[in-house]
């Protein structure tokens, strides 16, 4: 039976991580490689089908890390996990919404962050996105953080965790937009950080260890 991933403490560890000296889950491997994990160049998971989008582009890798690093650093471990979970979910949203750009995402993030902040002050009020096209995105963003527990009950992170995560996402996105280098620069950065969403579930390739 696989041990629990030491990075998230939730999923089963199925990929041997030489940097951590333990088996980690594929989600943490894909989202935290070279960002939170100091991956050695000869790691088997950096080649072939599992290669990251930074292969051969060290300057771009460092730039992407600088874009999110200052915003992730103040977060707790659980909050950082939610941050990268959000990046994965945003990638899936982008695959469904061809019109999605950084400006629309910023509008949706801002509305959801305001709703969470208001809720923390004891007031239940759903703030609307400034751009009407982004209103549907607010519901999709909320869905990223919602799940169903073992008993089928709806579960969501505590607002004390969700608030800082949304602030970190919005802060990183705002900083990237200030670069004025394109309309989807943050979305492109998120894609490189966590990888493209799979079109359909595929069997996970295992690392074969020779005796």
């Amino acid at each position: 039976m696989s041990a629990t991933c030491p990075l998230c403490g939730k999923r089963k560890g199925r990929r041997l991580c030489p940097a951590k000296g333990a088996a980690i889950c594929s989600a943490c491997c894909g989202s935290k490689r070279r960002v939170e994990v100091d991956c050695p160049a000869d790691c088997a998971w950096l080649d072939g089908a599992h290669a990251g989008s930074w292969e051969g582009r060290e300057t771009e890798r460092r730039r992407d890390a600088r874009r999110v690093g200052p915003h992730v650093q103040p977060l707790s471990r659980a909050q950082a996990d939610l941050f990268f979970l959000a990046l994965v979910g945003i990638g899936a949203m982008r695959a469904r919404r061809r019109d999605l750009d950084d400006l629309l995402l910023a509008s949706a993030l801002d509305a959801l962050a305001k709703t969470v902040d208001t809720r923390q002050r004891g007031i239940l009020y759903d703030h609307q996105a400034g751009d009407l096209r982004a209103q549907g995105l607010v519901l999709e963003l909320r869905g990223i953080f919602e799940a169903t527990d073992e008993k089928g009950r709806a579960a969501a992170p505590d607002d004390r965790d969700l608030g800082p995560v949304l602030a970190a996402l919005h802060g990183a996105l705002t900083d990237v937009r200030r670069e004025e280098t394109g309309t989807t620069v943050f979305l492109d950065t998120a894609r490189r950080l966590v990888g493209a969403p799979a079109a359909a579930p595929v069997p996970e390739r295992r690392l074969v260890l020779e005796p």
Side-chain angles (χ1 to χ4, degrees):
M1 183 176 181
S2 301
T4 301
C5 171
L7 295 179
C8 65
K10 300 175 183 178
R11 296 173 287 269
K12 297 299 183 182
R14 302 184 187 279
R15 295 185 178 182
L16 182 61
C17 176
K20 295 297 181 181
I24 66 176
C25 69
S26 59
C28 285
C29 176
S31 64
K32 300 180 181 181
R33 64 175 63 172
R34 290 176 167 171
V35 178
E36 293 186 26
V37 178
D38 187 15
C39 307
D42 60 352
C43 176
W45 298 107
L46 297 179
D47 298 320
H50 299 284
S53 302
W54 294 306
E55 190 172 8
R57 296 183 299 203
E58 180 65 16
T59 299
E60 191 171 67
R61 182 190 74 80
R62 291 183 179 180
R63 183 183 61 194
D64 287 345
R66 286 196 300 269
R67 282 171 171 161
V68 302
H71 302 278
V72 174
Q73 189 173 6
L75 301 178
S76 68
R77 177 171 167 176
Q79 291 167 352
D81 284 343
L82 286 175
F83 181 95
F84 286 104
L85 172 67
L87 293 187
V88 173
I90 288 170
M93 287 167 54
R94 187 184 191 185
R96 296 191 299 268
R97 295 276 303 260
R98 295 299 178 89
D99 63 331
L100 181 61
D101 59 16
D102 291 348
L103 183 59
L104 277 178
L105 180 60
S107 180
L109 279 171
D110 182 59
L112 183 56
K114 288 179 178 177
T115 295
V116 172
D117 179 65
T118 302
R119 193 164 59 210
Q120 285 185 280
R121 291 186 278 116
I123 303 172
L124 298 180
Y125 178 78
D126 289 334
H127 288 266
Q128 303 296 302
D131 189 322
L132 292 179
R133 295 175 302 158
Q135 192 55 43
L137 294 175
V138 178
L139 298 177
E140 292 189 55
L141 280 173
R142 183 180 297 167
I144 292 174
F145 302 102
E146 296 176 348
T148 303
D149 64 17
E150 296 177 353
K151 296 183 179 180
R153 297 173 299 191
D158 191 290
D159 284 344
R160 289 171 293 183
D161 287 324
L162 184 55
V165 170
L166 292 172
L169 286 166
H170 195 273
L173 196 159
T174 299
D175 285 352
V176 169
R177 288 188 61 221
R178 289 197 185 106
E179 297 175 12
E180 297 183 346
T181 52
T183 60
T184 60
V185 178
F186 179 80
L187 290 170
D188 295 337
T189 299
R191 180 187 179 96
R192 288 189 294 270
L193 286 169
V194 299
V202 295
E204 182 181 52
R205 289 176 59 183
R206 303 291 183 85
L207 177 65
V208 178
L209 300 177
E210 298 294 338

